[in-house]
Amino acid sequence: MAAPLSRRTLLLATAIAAGTPALPYAASAASGRPGAAPRAPAALAAPAAPAAWSVRPFGLEEVTLGRGVFADKRRLMLDHARGYDVNRLLQVFRANAGLSTLGAVAPGGWEGLDGEANGNLRGHYTGHFLTMLSQAYRGTGERIFAERIGTMVGALTEVREALRHDPAVLNTQGRFGTAAENVRGSHQYVDLPAGVLGDTPAITLAAWVRPTHDGAWARVLDFGDDTHRYLYLAARNADGVPRFALTDSGAAGEQGLDGTAALPLDEWSHLAVTLADGTGTLYVDGTAVARNTAMTLTPAALGPLAHHWLGRSHYPADPVFAGAFDEFDVWSRALSAAEIGALRERRAVETPAGRGDLASYAFEETAGGTFADASGRGLTATLRRTWGGPSHPGFLAAYPETQFIDLESMTGSDYTKVWAPYYTAHKILRGLLDAHLATGDERALDLASGMCDWMYSRLSKLPAATLQRMWGIFSSGEFGGIVEAICDLHAVTGEAEHLALARLFDLDRLIDACAANTDPLDGLHANQHIPIFTGLVRLYDETGEERYLTAARNFWAMVVPHRMYAIGGTSTGEFWKGRDVIAGTIGATTAESCCAYNMLKLSRTLFFHDQDPAYMDYYERALYNQVLGSKQDRPDAEKPLVTYFVGLTPGHVRDYTPKQGTTCCEGTGMESATKYQDSVYFAAADGSSLYVNLYTRSTLTWAERGVTVTQTTDYPREQGSTLVIGGGGASFELRLRVPSWATAGFRVTVNGRAVPGTPTPGSYFTVSRAWRRGDTVRVRVPFRLRVEKALDDPSLQALFYGPVNLVGRDPNTDHLECGLYGNAGLSGDLLPTLTPVSGEPLHYTLDGTEWAPFAEGTEDPTHAYFRRSEPRVVLGGTDSGVANPAKDDGTTLLDEIWAEAPFRDKGALVAHVRSTVDAWVEAGLLGGDEGERVVRTARRASYAD
């Protein structure tokens, strides 16, 4: 349904929270009609924010990335987006609707009919790709992305239209003319009327077939009641050869004929079976390949049968025949070998046998869903789907609705049968909504709205207890960020049913536990639950129900820092373990990339309500480390090259093509790489303040205030940034984030003059003035080398320089042992212990091992954590000869000495060493002579500033 124009700008604002910042509707846009030009994103004004937001983000078209690591990574993904054949993504949708797949081959992995768990997640990747294209168009304005969106939306519109109606014949080139094709994945078969066989004691069955898949037990025909009484002709049995059989006592009683060679794929083959007087013969391409003289059963002996199917088996686990049918005939006698041979060369009507007297189908129809019978008996056949058809005309998916239906009765997880259908629906819905927001295509909005109408029609009929059970099932019941997407859609459609639909996904036990700040996360699947909370924040926006927002706030604090690795990621083997267990969960499958993506979305959405700098501290950590490092630094036309897991075990080599490159994390990785700029700047809802959250080369166009802000920096290679105000004059507060790690030296100047005030780490430093064109703000953000200790093992540490996680590059599979205090400077900075690598910014060596930013997407074996080892007291590069003692909690003498840094001068350091040593000697932790040696070493050593 079309949305009223007066509502559209509201949605376009709220969609920003989803990671595809919103665009308002341009009333003059012609898009939405086939062939209409997409609207230009750069020409649109910024949207209003929901009333609940105290700050709002800017659209991707309002923030332009400059040169740097983000632009470099994005360029690789944009090239992939420009070149990938979208028909490959559409293949599974078209197949599900019985449409031509245009010869396209699905990507594989999770995205295809043969994918993991029977391809039960297929379609999700198409949604991700639509979102990526939408963000790419928003961020660059390049028409190619809008055109690709239009192609995909047009195809999905055709798919839904086909699914709404009974299946229609798909023509292909036949053996003698036109033939009918059932593409693999369509679940289509031909249903013949009852009475085809009558009571004939003898029979000949003949068909031209062109199989396109080698699935065992796909039926050419299956006439029967159930799995007890039937006769069938299979294109391939378990051994890969044709088989004919009939039985009145199930599989054990089958009397059959087996071929000797497999039918070739994508080629026409002629199959025929004759049965009379106890003898059955199987012919392939006019040649007898099997004969059985002990076949006592006949069609007459089976009696009337309930079903007469071409392409479908009575065994539900058997595949539907994929391929094409040309002539199919049934005779009430056994044709001779010569007659069978003639059928191999000519149409039946042109041979001595003539058309089948029991049934005869030429499959020459070019429209509709029925096939005429030329036998004279009037047995018109009908094209059907094994699963019937959608329950609602809004249904759109790449597999049958049975996935959704089966979930409603499931009590436990089995992803080989049902794998997160509502998760997949979310990705498609989000992609369509983003496509509409980016290009104004009304077809995309109609598809998205229809999907929600369909979901409401299903879920609103279910008891509350059923819904609670469904959403609590691991994997099968996963629904991703669908609540967020539905809320965004509701804001544009205004449909009360859409908001009601969003609330049908409430998982009450999770919401209530988190609202009460009772940590329920141990043992839960991480990425199944993180996006739930972004949806809850959006539900709060729409309903004002406080428990939603409270639950989301508390949940975030259960993850950060209690289940967070140094790079910002979370989860091990996709699951959470106990609170504060970090070292104890490190493995080869830690830090699923989707989790970081969704934690970023949640962090920014919470920031819209509470301007807690901790949210943006986390955002910087995860973005500059895991998210950047999850994208490989090389081009690829076929794969996005994004990690699934990031193993944090020693010597781990990142895998950028997991499971053929179509997992959830490749999908979110494509999105991440086309929206890096989404949180660089935020504005107060009333326009009174501008938040600078990230220091990255970029240009903001703040149309509301008539100004631009151009940020020039090489951060994080540069320790600071320069911002220049452009446009007309405006008064507002410029709020500059002071990272929590920036513990000394953060300074701000405006036009060369220092701004008074004391910056506090983990806050925002405010500069308030009437800004003029050309005003220049210089932000100095000094970096220090520091360590972060695993919460459950302080000796296991990660190394950071400013925001950058430095990882050791070494193939050793044991933790590297490193000491860092040896050359520490008076500031407490550990950097002098490292040796810079010439010509390689942010690269260092320590004890022969190179340390480099995690963000670099290489295939080097890495050590994200190392074992801290400070066996001797070394100060200013001078070894005291004294072993470094430790307390019971692991704190060493050197830890306590350097904990008081920075020191104003060497004297202050020596005085602190003296007092610390005396305390340790008095406590019996250090000998008096040893203490004096440590003090003497402190006096004679030299220190960097």
Side-chain angles (χ1 to χ4, degrees):
M1 65 189 70
L5 297 183
S6 60
R7 299 278 305 173
R8 240 172 235 124
T9 54
L10 190 54
L11 166 67
L12 298 167
T14 58
I16 297 173
T20 300
L23 286 167
Y25 179 75
S28 61
S31 54
R33 301 190 306 271
R39 62 190 179 188
L44 301 175
W53 292 0
S54 49
V55 303
R56 70 166 183 85
F58 291 94
L60 295 179
E61 67 286 345
E62 296 174 287
V63 182
T64 303
L65 282 178
R67 293 193 319 274
V69 60
F70 290 110
D72 290 343
K73 296 265 189 179
R74 185 180 71 165
R75 174 180 50 80
L76 293 170
M77 195 62 78
L78 292 177
D79 286 345
H80 175 71
R82 292 184 190 99
Y84 193 82
D85 181 5
V86 296
N87 285 308
R88 296 187 63 190
L89 301 173
L90 296 166
Q91 193 263 3
V92 288
F93 285 90
R94 286 170 167 150
N96 189 47
L99 300 175
S100 171
T101 59
L102 307 182
V105 177
W110 287 6
E111 193 63 31
L113 298 168
D114 292 312
E116 186 175 342
N118 307 309
N120 284 342
L121 210 67
R122 60 187 182 269
H124 80 114
Y125 204 69
T126 299
H128 285 299
F129 207 90
L130 271 171
T131 292
M132 174 182 66
L133 290 174
S134 301
Q135 293 174 169
Y137 182 51
R138 300 270 313 277
T140 68
E142 291 183 31
R143 187 178 179 85
I144 186 175
F145 298 122
E147 291 171 346
R148 309 202 91 203
I149 291 169
T151 296
M152 296 180 74
V153 170
L156 293 175
T157 300
E158 293 174 356
V159 165
R160 189 183 68 174
E161 186 63 22
L163 288 170
R164 283 179 168 185
H165 303 289
D166 291 333
V169 63
L170 176 64
N171 293 129
T172 188
Q173 181 62 45
R175 175 65 176 82
F176 297 113
T178 300
E181 181 172 14
N182 287 338
V183 297
R184 183 162 180 258
S186 68
H187 297 272
Q188 291 180 178
Y189 68 101
V190 180
D191 187 16
L192 278 57
V196 173
L197 299 181
D199 57 358
T200 180
I203 194 171
T204 297
L205 304 160
W208 279 101
V209 294
R210 189 186 66 195
T212 57
H213 187 256
D214 59 0
W217 298 115
R219 302 293 202 259
V220 173
L221 64 90
D222 195 332
F223 297 168
D225 291 337
D226 45 35
T227 57
H228 183 80
R229 190 165 61 114
Y230 54 77
L231 66 82
Y232 69 80
L233 174 61
R236 290 174 181 243
N237 64 6
D239 296 321
V241 298
R243 174 174 171 80
F244 171 81
L246 70 169
T247 181
D248 59 3
S249 56
E254 286 187 1
Q255 299 177 7
L257 298 158
D258 292 305
T260 56
L263 300 183
L265 297 181
D266 300 310
E267 295 181 17
W268 286 104
S269 295
H270 188 261
L271 295 177
V273 175
T274 61
L275 179 61
D277 302 324
T279 298
T281 306
L282 172 65
Y283 295 84
V284 176
D285 289 331
T287 300
V289 296
R291 180 168 284 109
N292 184 344
T293 58
M295 300 185 73
T296 58
L297 290 173
T298 67
L302 295 182
L305 299 173
H307 309 125
H308 299 79
W309 297 332
L310 302 184
R312 179 180 180 181
S313 170
H314 279 88
Y315 287 85
D318 289 344
V320 178
F321 177 79
F325 289 96
D326 204 333
E327 291 194 344
F328 173 72
D329 287 273
V330 184
W331 291 267
S332 59
R333 63 186 180 88
L335 299 187
S336 67
E339 288 176 310
I340 298 292
L343 293 173
R344 172 73 178 82
E345 302 301 328
R346 299 187 300 279
R347 296 175 183 270
V349 70
E350 299 170 355
T351 70
R355 293 189 175 100
D357 62 313
L358 294 182
S360 179
Y361 302 94
F363 296 108
E364 293 180 335
E365 288 79 1
T366 58
T370 59
F371 302 100
D373 171 31
S375 70
R377 300 178 68 201
L379 300 177
T380 301
T382 304
L383 190 61
R384 303 191 190 281
R385 300 185 183 99
T386 60
W387 56 282
S391 64
H392 185 281
F395 174 73
L396 177 63
Y399 43 65
E401 195 176 2
T402 49
Q403 283 278 297
F404 301 88
I405 296 169
D406 290 347
L407 175 62
E408 294 166 8
S409 60
M410 290 182 72
T411 57
S413 176
D414 185 348
Y415 86 131
T416 65
K417 294 180 180 177
V418 176
W419 189 7
Y422 285 97
Y423 172 94
T424 305
H426 161 242
K427 301 307 176 187
I428 300 166
L429 173 63
R430 180 81 255 173
L432 290 167
L433 188 53
D434 291 340
H436 170 68
L437 301 180
T439 67
D441 194 325
E442 293 295 320
R443 298 171 302 173
L445 180 60
D446 183 60
L447 290 170
S449 184
M451 286 186 70
C452 287
D453 295 342
W454 154 70
M455 284 188 280
Y456 183 77
S457 75
R458 287 212 67 83
L459 297 178
S460 63
K461 296 179 176 65
L462 298 178
T466 300
L467 294 172
Q468 294 297 317
R469 172 175 48 77
M470 285 165 55
W471 308 144
I473 298 175
F474 160 63
S475 188
S476 298
E478 183 175 356
F479 55 79
I482 200 166
V483 174
E484 174 191 43
I486 295 169
C487 287
D488 290 350
L489 180 69
H490 167 257
V492 70
T493 64
E495 292 286 343
E497 286 186 353
H498 292 168
L499 182 57
L501 169 63
R503 302 189 73 157
L504 292 175
F505 289 91
D506 280 5
L507 181 55
D508 287 333
R509 69 173 182 268
L510 176 71
I511 298 170
D512 293 343
C514 290
N517 209 18
T518 302
D519 190 331
L521 303 189
D522 187 3
L524 291 184
H525 183 264
N527 198 52
Q528 180 167 346
H529 294 86
I530 298 171
I532 290 176
F533 291 91
T534 307
L536 294 182
V537 180
R538 287 291 295 113
L539 265 177
Y540 167 78
D541 295 339
E542 297 291 313
T543 67
E545 189 168 327
E546 286 287 344
R547 77 167 183 141
Y548 291 141
L549 182 59
T550 301
R553 288 170 173 154
N554 292 341
F555 165 80
W556 188 92
M558 293 171 190
V559 177
V560 180
H562 302 290
R563 293 176 173 88
M564 180 192 74
Y565 300 108
I567 59 174
T570 187
S571 81
T572 180
E574 299 193 6
F575 288 81
W576 282 307
K577 304 300 182 184
R579 190 180 180 101
D580 295 332
V581 180
I582 300 300
T585 61
I586 286 177
T589 57
T590 38
E592 182 186 358
S593 296
C594 273
C595 293
Y597 163 89
N598 278 310
M599 282 299 296
L600 289 184
K601 291 180 70 174
L602 177 60
S603 299
R604 74 194 298 269
T605 308
L606 286 169
F607 192 91
F608 299 155
H609 298 83
D610 309 312
Q611 285 71 66
D612 184 343
Y615 294 136
M616 285 298 112
D617 270 342
Y618 173 80
Y619 202 97
E620 178 185 67
R621 175 194 295 270
L623 180 65
Y624 275 84
N625 295 292
Q626 175 157 4
V627 172
L628 278 180
S630 68
K631 173 72 185 85
Q632 190 172 17
D633 296 333
R634 70 175 181 85
D636 193 289
E638 292 299 308
K639 302 288 191 297
L641 299 182
V642 176
T643 58
Y644 188 154
F645 298 115
V646 177
L648 299 177
T649 51
H652 177 79
V653 176
R654 289 174 224 170
D655 180 3
Y656 297 98
T657 55
K659 300 177 183 289
Q660 299 184 57
T662 56
T663 67
C664 51
C665 293
E666 275 88 353
T668 55
M670 292 190 299
E671 295 182 31
S672 289
T674 48
K675 66 179 182 73
Y676 289 134
Q677 72 269 41
D678 72 346
S679 297
V680 176
Y681 309 98
F682 294 155
D686 62 3
S688 63
S689 302
L690 178 67
Y691 289 78
V692 180
N693 304 311
L694 302 173
Y695 299 109
T696 186
R697 187 186 295 261
S698 57
T699 298
L700 166 68
T701 301
W702 192 7
E704 179 186 5
R705 301 306 309 272
V707 300
T708 62
V709 178
T710 300
Q711 189 176 172
T712 304
T713 181
D714 198 24
Y715 187 96
R717 294 178 176 179
E718 177 183 350
Q719 298 183 26
S721 185
T722 300
L723 297 90
V724 177
I725 308 299
S731 297
F732 58 88
E733 293 180 339
L734 185 65
R735 298 191 175 186
L736 303 163
R737 189 174 67 87
V738 185
S740 58
W741 48 261
T743 54
F746 187 97
R747 295 290 183 268
V748 179
T749 63
V750 176
N751 299 330
R753 301 184 65 177
V755 178
T758 303
T760 302
S763 70
Y764 280 82
F765 184 78
T766 300
V767 182
S768 182
R769 62 185 275 130
W771 298 94
R772 297 180 179 178
R773 181 193 298 269
D775 280 348
T776 301
V777 180
R778 174 63 187 165
V779 184
R780 182 172 179 265
V781 193
F783 293 2
R784 291 180 61 187
L785 190 72
R786 69 187 193 282
V787 297
E788 291 190 0
K789 302 175 182 179
L791 298 175
D792 52 336
D793 184 353
S795 72
L796 197 67
Q797 302 180 357
L799 193 61
F800 279 84
Y801 188 47
V804 178
N805 176 220
L806 297 175
V807 294
R809 290 180 174 174
D810 191 301
N812 199 315
T813 55
D814 294 322
H815 284 296
L816 300 175
E817 294 192 0
C818 301
L820 297 172
Y821 287 134
N823 288 300
L826 293 175
S827 66
D829 193 350
L830 304 174
L831 187 63
T833 300
L834 306 184
T835 302
V837 176
S838 178
E840 293 284 344
L842 300 177
H843 284 235
Y844 304 90
T845 59
L846 175 64
D847 298 332
T849 296
E850 182 181 13
W851 294 76
F854 181 94
E856 294 182 0
T858 72
E859 293 179 296
D860 295 297
T862 60
H863 292 247
Y865 285 91
F866 64 94
R867 188 70 66 186
R868 186 69 173 272
S869 177
E870 305 280 358
R872 300 169 71 84
V873 177
V874 180
L875 293 166
T878 302
D879 190 342
S880 68
V882 176
N884 185 24
K887 296 181 178 179
D888 290 342
D889 65 359
T891 303
T892 70
L893 176 64
L894 284 174
D895 290 336
E896 285 205 355
I897 288 172
W898 290 110
E900 294 301 310
F903 302 101
R904 66 179 182 276
D905 53 29
K906 179 178 177 179
L909 169 63
V910 173
H912 177 63
V913 170
R914 172 86 269 176
S915 63
T916 304
V917 163
D918 289 347
W920 281 60
V921 170
E922 184 177 351
L925 298 171
L926 184 68
D929 290 344
E930 292 174 318
E932 290 304 316
R933 275 190 283 166
V934 170
V935 174
R936 287 197 299 271
T937 300
R939 287 195 183 109
R940 69 172 183 267
S942 58
Y943 305 91
D945 291 335

